[in-house]
Amino acid sequence: MNAPTNVDLFSGAIARLDKAFQYADIDAEALERLKHPKQILQVSVPVRMDDGSLKIFTGYRVRHDDTRGPTKGGLRYSPNVDISEVKALAFWMTFKCAVMNIPYGGAKGGICVNPKELSRLELERLSRGFIEQIADFIGPETDIPAPDMYTNAMIMGWMMDEYSKIHRRHTPGVITGKPIPLGGSQGREEATGRGAYYCIKELEKKRDWVPKKTRVAVQGFGNAGQSIARLLHADGYQIVAVSDSRGGIYKPEGFDIPSLIQIKNESRRLQAVYCTGSVCEAVPSKSITNEQLLELDVDVLIPAALEDVITVSNANQIKAPVIVEVANGPTTGEADEILNERGKLVVPDILANAGGVTVSYFEWVQNQQGFYWSLEEVQQRLHAMMTQEFNHVYDWMIEKRIDMRTAAYAVALSRIGAAIASLGTAQYFSDNDS
Ligand code: NAD
């Protein structure tokens, strides 16, 4: 798969607002304001490499909107990170938090780096150096980062530690997705996949799916892809195809997902195996490309890797009747129109992958109150919120006869609009003047 270009990612992201506007309760001025990020920070991070040389990395943090609360959003390490991508991701976070009714605005950040080329120590120096540069921009009451692609709990731990040192006070609430001994939440690691799983369980009731007869393809086998595949497999769903950046594997009878996770985590390679204890044996399968995976004849397609993978060039070839967007922005606007015309149900990213930010919110709440919850408590609360907001959006979709993405944006816009209106609108002030 070619790396996407991010030039129009932000323009593509905000274009979705105009469509949802007519179904939302928000005034035009508030809508215009949401088309412009509130603050953008670009930094240069000098890092002493292991061989003694100095390398400079470019990093970004964008706060899109904070009307509903402190801004929240992940940090991504990737060679493709650029300002348009970070702005689009920050924008999606504003809507994701609003659609889940979480009291946060949206933000995002990232560093333009290939983390696979860095040693562990170089990665730590880069992560701490980045926090040094953005320490005045973030904070538990202003802007709270979290993990995203190619960042993990260990990196969040270094960042929290660096921020706490700079401010000379222990501040676990500055960042979420931390290791549990450093104030992380139970259940955060699998939260994105689990949230999407709860959405699929609601669809299972609505569509009378029988798990054993329901075939699923998952693109991307990282944190989010592995979690959703594992939970669906445990319920009996047939996970017939999975992939990573090197390509995919396909087996019509379905894979044993715990075995695939075990071997991927041991060898860093995706292999078709069945494991008993530590002994793994190869099972017959077909190698496929990431493009072929998207076009498989399955019941549920789950893009869980990159943005812009379903485009005008393949939208007509997508066979799955249901697409659950675990990745952020996997479908372009034009592709969306084609999928809608073809009667596909797309559970949009801002809802389907919102489990991650929801448990990040739980983590922050626990940090702020200094009182920690059990795994069962976290899962129960996540289940309650995902189920409620999934059905809320689904009902808007049916009631207003619109696609599910437009319904999700309309719900989110109405909530943000209500917050903006509570601060006073042009109408309110002109009425007062007269
Ligand atoms: P990750 O780094 O753990 O995994 C990414 C996966 O994508 C890996 O398996 C990688 O091999 C694969 N990949 C990379 N390039 C690819 C390519 N060209 N083709 C196919 N696969 C490729 O990341 P993650 O946390 O699982 O995030 C995946 C997606 O989910 C991203 O879009 C991210 O923004 C979104 N997301 C993640 C979270 C979270 O909490 N982790 C929350 C919300 C959304």
Short mmCIF file of all heavy atoms in Angstrom, two decimals, residues 266-288:
data_model
loop_
_atom_site.label_atom_id
_atom_site.label_comp_id
_atom_site.label_asym_id
_atom_site.label_seq_id
_atom_site.Cartn_x
_atom_site.Cartn_y
_atom_site.Cartn_z
N GLU A 266 5.89 -12.10 19.20
CA GLU A 266 7.21 -12.71 19.41
C GLU A 266 8.16 -12.38 18.27
O GLU A 266 9.31 -12.05 18.48
CB GLU A 266 7.06 -14.25 19.48
CG GLU A 266 6.67 -14.74 20.86
CD GLU A 266 6.25 -16.21 20.83
OE1 GLU A 266 6.61 -16.94 19.88
OE2 GLU A 266 5.53 -16.61 21.75
N SER A 267 7.65 -12.48 17.03
CA SER A 267 8.55 -12.38 15.86
C SER A 267 8.41 -11.05 15.13
O SER A 267 9.17 -10.78 14.21
CB SER A 267 8.24 -13.50 14.88
OG SER A 267 6.96 -13.29 14.30
N ARG A 268 7.41 -10.24 15.51
CA ARG A 268 7.08 -8.97 14.84
C ARG A 268 6.60 -9.20 13.41
O ARG A 268 6.53 -8.29 12.62
CB ARG A 268 8.27 -7.99 14.83
CG ARG A 268 8.84 -7.71 16.19
CD ARG A 268 9.16 -6.23 16.38
NE ARG A 268 9.09 -5.88 17.80
CZ ARG A 268 8.03 -5.33 18.38
NH1 ARG A 268 6.95 -5.07 17.68
NH2 ARG A 268 8.03 -5.04 19.66
N ARG A 269 6.29 -10.46 13.04
CA ARG A 269 5.80 -10.75 11.69
C ARG A 269 4.43 -11.40 11.80
O ARG A 269 4.16 -12.16 12.73
CB ARG A 269 6.72 -11.71 10.96
CG ARG A 269 8.11 -11.17 10.71
CD ARG A 269 8.87 -12.08 9.77
NE ARG A 269 8.47 -11.83 8.39
CZ ARG A 269 9.05 -10.94 7.60
NH1 ARG A 269 10.04 -10.22 8.05
NH2 ARG A 269 8.65 -10.76 6.37
N LEU A 270 3.61 -11.11 10.80
CA LEU A 270 2.29 -11.73 10.75
C LEU A 270 2.44 -13.08 10.06
O LEU A 270 2.93 -13.16 8.94
CB LEU A 270 1.39 -10.80 9.90
CG LEU A 270 -0.10 -11.02 9.94
CD1 LEU A 270 -0.64 -10.98 11.35
CD2 LEU A 270 -0.77 -9.94 9.09
N GLN A 271 2.07 -14.15 10.76
CA GLN A 271 2.22 -15.48 10.16
C GLN A 271 0.97 -16.29 10.43
O GLN A 271 0.37 -16.18 11.51
CB GLN A 271 3.41 -16.21 10.78
CG GLN A 271 4.76 -15.56 10.53
CD GLN A 271 5.85 -16.25 11.35
OE1 GLN A 271 6.06 -17.45 11.26
NE2 GLN A 271 6.53 -15.48 12.17
N ALA A 272 0.57 -17.12 9.45
CA ALA A 272 -0.61 -17.98 9.61
C ALA A 272 -0.18 -19.22 10.39
O ALA A 272 0.47 -20.11 9.85
CB ALA A 272 -1.15 -18.37 8.24
N VAL A 273 -0.52 -19.23 11.68
CA VAL A 273 -0.07 -20.34 12.54
C VAL A 273 -1.20 -20.77 13.48
O VAL A 273 -2.18 -20.04 13.67
CB VAL A 273 1.13 -19.93 13.43
CG1 VAL A 273 2.39 -19.73 12.62
CG2 VAL A 273 0.80 -18.70 14.25
N TYR A 274 -1.03 -21.95 14.06
CA TYR A 274 -1.86 -22.37 15.17
C TYR A 274 -0.89 -22.76 16.30
O TYR A 274 0.00 -23.57 16.08
CB TYR A 274 -2.76 -23.56 14.78
CG TYR A 274 -3.69 -23.93 15.91
CD1 TYR A 274 -4.86 -23.21 16.13
CD2 TYR A 274 -3.36 -24.95 16.80
CE1 TYR A 274 -5.70 -23.51 17.20
CE2 TYR A 274 -4.19 -25.26 17.87
CZ TYR A 274 -5.35 -24.52 18.06
OH TYR A 274 -6.17 -24.82 19.13
N CYS A 275 -1.03 -22.16 17.46
CA CYS A 275 -0.08 -22.41 18.55
C CYS A 275 -0.73 -23.21 19.67
O CYS A 275 -1.87 -22.95 20.05
CB CYS A 275 0.43 -21.10 19.14
SG CYS A 275 1.19 -20.00 17.94
N THR A 276 0.06 -24.18 20.19
CA THR A 276 -0.33 -24.83 21.43
C THR A 276 0.82 -24.53 22.39
O THR A 276 1.94 -24.98 22.16
CB THR A 276 -0.45 -26.36 21.22
OG1 THR A 276 -1.15 -26.59 20.00
CG2 THR A 276 -1.18 -27.03 22.37
N GLY A 277 0.53 -23.76 23.41
CA GLY A 277 1.60 -23.30 24.30
C GLY A 277 2.59 -22.48 23.48
O GLY A 277 2.19 -21.60 22.71
N SER A 278 3.88 -22.81 23.59
CA SER A 278 4.88 -22.02 22.86
C SER A 278 5.20 -22.63 21.49
O SER A 278 6.04 -22.13 20.76
CB SER A 278 6.15 -21.91 23.70
OG SER A 278 6.62 -23.20 23.98
N VAL A 279 4.53 -23.76 21.15
CA VAL A 279 4.82 -24.40 19.86
C VAL A 279 3.79 -23.94 18.81
O VAL A 279 2.59 -24.14 18.97
CB VAL A 279 4.76 -25.95 19.99
CG1 VAL A 279 5.12 -26.61 18.66
CG2 VAL A 279 5.68 -26.41 21.10
N CYS A 280 4.30 -23.30 17.76
CA CYS A 280 3.40 -22.80 16.71
C CYS A 280 3.65 -23.54 15.40
O CYS A 280 4.81 -23.70 14.99
CB CYS A 280 3.63 -21.30 16.51
SG CYS A 280 3.23 -20.32 17.95
N GLU A 281 2.57 -24.00 14.79
CA GLU A 281 2.69 -24.69 13.50
C GLU A 281 2.00 -23.89 12.42
O GLU A 281 0.93 -23.31 12.67
CB GLU A 281 1.98 -26.05 13.57
CG GLU A 281 2.84 -27.14 14.15
CD GLU A 281 2.08 -28.46 14.18
OE1 GLU A 281 1.22 -28.68 13.30
OE2 GLU A 281 2.35 -29.23 15.12
N ALA A 282 2.59 -23.90 11.22
CA ALA A 282 2.00 -23.14 10.10
C ALA A 282 0.66 -23.77 9.72
O ALA A 282 0.49 -25.00 9.77
CB ALA A 282 2.94 -23.16 8.92
N VAL A 283 -0.32 -22.94 9.34
CA VAL A 283 -1.60 -23.44 8.82
C VAL A 283 -1.75 -22.91 7.38
O VAL A 283 -1.19 -21.85 7.06
CB VAL A 283 -2.81 -22.99 9.68
CG1 VAL A 283 -2.78 -23.61 11.06
CG2 VAL A 283 -2.89 -21.48 9.78
N PRO A 284 -2.49 -23.65 6.51
CA PRO A 284 -2.61 -23.20 5.12
C PRO A 284 -3.32 -21.85 5.05
O PRO A 284 -4.32 -21.64 5.75
CB PRO A 284 -3.45 -24.29 4.45
CG PRO A 284 -3.65 -25.36 5.46
CD PRO A 284 -3.24 -24.87 6.79
N SER A 285 -2.79 -20.97 4.23
CA SER A 285 -3.43 -19.67 4.05
C SER A 285 -2.92 -19.08 2.75
O SER A 285 -1.99 -19.61 2.14
CB SER A 285 -3.09 -18.72 5.20
OG SER A 285 -1.76 -18.29 5.06
N LYS A 286 -3.54 -17.99 2.33
CA LYS A 286 -3.13 -17.35 1.09
C LYS A 286 -2.57 -15.96 1.44
O LYS A 286 -3.16 -15.25 2.26
CB LYS A 286 -4.40 -17.19 0.23
CG LYS A 286 -4.14 -16.90 -1.21
CD LYS A 286 -5.47 -16.85 -1.96
CE LYS A 286 -5.30 -15.96 -3.16
NZ LYS A 286 -6.50 -15.43 -3.70
N SER A 287 -1.45 -15.60 0.82
CA SER A 287 -0.92 -14.24 1.01
C SER A 287 -1.73 -13.28 0.15
O SER A 287 -1.96 -13.57 -1.03
CB SER A 287 0.54 -14.16 0.59
OG SER A 287 1.30 -14.90 1.48
N ILE A 288 -2.13 -12.18 0.72
CA ILE A 288 -2.87 -11.17 -0.05
C ILE A 288 -2.26 -9.79 0.22
O ILE A 288 -1.56 -9.61 1.21
CB ILE A 288 -4.39 -11.14 0.31
CG1 ILE A 288 -4.58 -10.97 1.82
CG2 ILE A 288 -5.11 -12.37 -0.21
CD1 ILE A 288 -6.03 -10.70 2.21
#
